[in-house]
């Protein structure tokens, strides 16, 4: 869509970031004229962006009503997490097959930083490191198809993940699960890595189910 230089941030990137960052909230109507003004973009580009984000599951385009930010129900968030459980299990197994000593050291470093964040009760930092660890596993796995689907699904449930991360005691439950994932990948044990990742995301799905709406 963009004719700018390679890797330049597109209008779609900017609007997506605004949705994921909470600048636009679930069910909020996205008025073309307002988005044009806010982002300094022509209407045709804004319409194309809405279509792209609808394809990603972040926006709904309603007949004769325009676009709005799509709200993800708790039940749908649980289903998405169950799908991620399968795909991220595959990713962890591939990472265990391909991990280098340098990558193993990076995984250990991230999980050590996660442990320190839990000890400080720094939930924001823990949440950042959690996302970083999962992203690092995907990078090591080098399985582009699963990574693309995982990232798209993860974006749809970002608000649910944020609320879950702030539940009292959740980080202390999550940390040993991530330690098991890293230990299995570093040990180059694909089956154990897949099992550890799936058990972790099964725990996430159960915590989402138990969370208040």
């Amino acid at each position: 869509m963009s004719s700018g230089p390679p890797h330049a941030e597109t209008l779609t990137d900017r609007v997506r970031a605004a949705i994921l960052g909470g600048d636009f909230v679930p069910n909020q109507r996205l008025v073309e004229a307002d988005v044009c003004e806010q982002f300094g973009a022509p209407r045709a580009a804004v319409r194309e962006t809405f279509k792209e984000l609808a394809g990603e599951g972040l926006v709904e385009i309603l007949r004769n009503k325009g676009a709005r930010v799509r709200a993800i129900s708790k039940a749908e968030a649980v289903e998405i997490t169950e799908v991620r459980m399968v795909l991220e299990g595959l990713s962890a197994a591939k990472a265990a097959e391909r991990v280098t000593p340098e990558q193993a050291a990076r995984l250990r470093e991230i999980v050590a930083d996660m442990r320190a964040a839990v000890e400080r009760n720094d939930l924001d930092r823990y949440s950042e490191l959690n996302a970083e660890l999962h992203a690092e596993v995907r990078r090591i796995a080098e399985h582009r198809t699963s990574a693309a689907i995982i990232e798209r699904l993860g974006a749809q449930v970002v608000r649910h993940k944020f609320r879950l991360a702030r539940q009292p005691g959740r980080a202390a439950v999550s940390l040993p699960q991530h330690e098991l994932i890293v230990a299995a990948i570093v040990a180059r044990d694909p089956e154990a890595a897949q099992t550890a990742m799936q058990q972790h995301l099964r725990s996430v799905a159960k915590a989402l189910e138990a969370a208040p709406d």
Side-chain angles (χ1 to χ4, degrees):
M1 185 183 74
S2 171
S3 59
H7 309 301
E9 188 178 51
T10 65
L11 177 62
T12 300
D13 292 332
R14 294 167 66 202
V15 178
R16 183 193 300 110
I19 293 171
L20 298 181
D23 296 335
F24 298 127
V25 299
N27 290 321
Q28 179 177 341
R29 188 169 169 239
L30 297 170
V31 180
E32 271 185 21
D34 293 345
V35 175
C36 289
E37 182 177 354
Q38 180 173 344
F39 293 95
R43 281 196 178 232
V46 168
R47 289 191 196 109
E48 185 61 28
T49 283
F50 289 170
K51 287 178 186 175
E52 289 183 22
L53 294 176
E56 295 178 17
L58 295 177
V59 165
E60 290 181 290
I61 298 176
L62 306 174
R63 188 176 179 84
N64 300 324
K65 292 184 179 178
R68 72 179 180 191
V69 179
R70 192 163 86 86
I72 306 293
S73 69
K74 185 172 78 171
E76 188 174 358
V78 170
E79 288 184 4
I80 287 170
T81 303
E82 289 169 341
V83 174
R84 284 179 55 217
M85 183 172 71
V86 176
L87 294 174
E88 294 209 43
L90 169 64
S91 185
K94 291 292 184 183
E97 292 173 0
R98 295 173 175 168
V99 67
T100 66
E102 294 78 12
Q103 291 168 332
R106 178 61 187 142
L107 290 174
R108 289 194 195 97
E109 180 184 349
I110 295 171
V111 87
D113 289 345
M114 291 173 77
R115 194 178 307 116
V118 169
E119 290 167 359
R120 295 193 309 271
N121 198 33
D122 186 345
L123 298 182
D124 287 339
R125 181 60 180 148
Y126 182 83
S127 187
E128 289 171 5
L129 289 164
N130 185 347
E132 189 176 336
L133 179 64
H134 283 262
E136 187 66 23
V137 171
R138 292 195 296 275
R139 278 192 290 273
I140 295 168
E142 294 184 352
H143 196 281
R144 288 182 295 175
T145 301
S146 65
I149 299 169
I150 290 164
E151 286 163 16
R152 173 176 164 178
L153 292 175
Q156 291 180 24
V157 296
V158 67
R159 288 183 179 83
H160 291 275
K161 290 193 290 185
F162 181 76
R163 282 200 296 270
L164 184 60
R166 293 181 118 45
Q167 281 187 5
R170 178 63 202 168
V173 171
S174 165
L175 175 62
Q177 296 170 353
H178 287 98
E179 289 175 330
L180 283 174
I181 293 165
V182 168
I185 292 172
V186 167
R188 301 183 65 87
D189 186 336
E191 188 174 339
Q194 183 172 26
T195 298
M197 182 65 85
Q198 289 180 338
Q199 287 177 343
H200 163 57
L201 286 163
R202 189 174 291 113
S203 166
V204 172
K206 287 180 179 178
L208 285 170
E209 282 181 326
D213 288 318

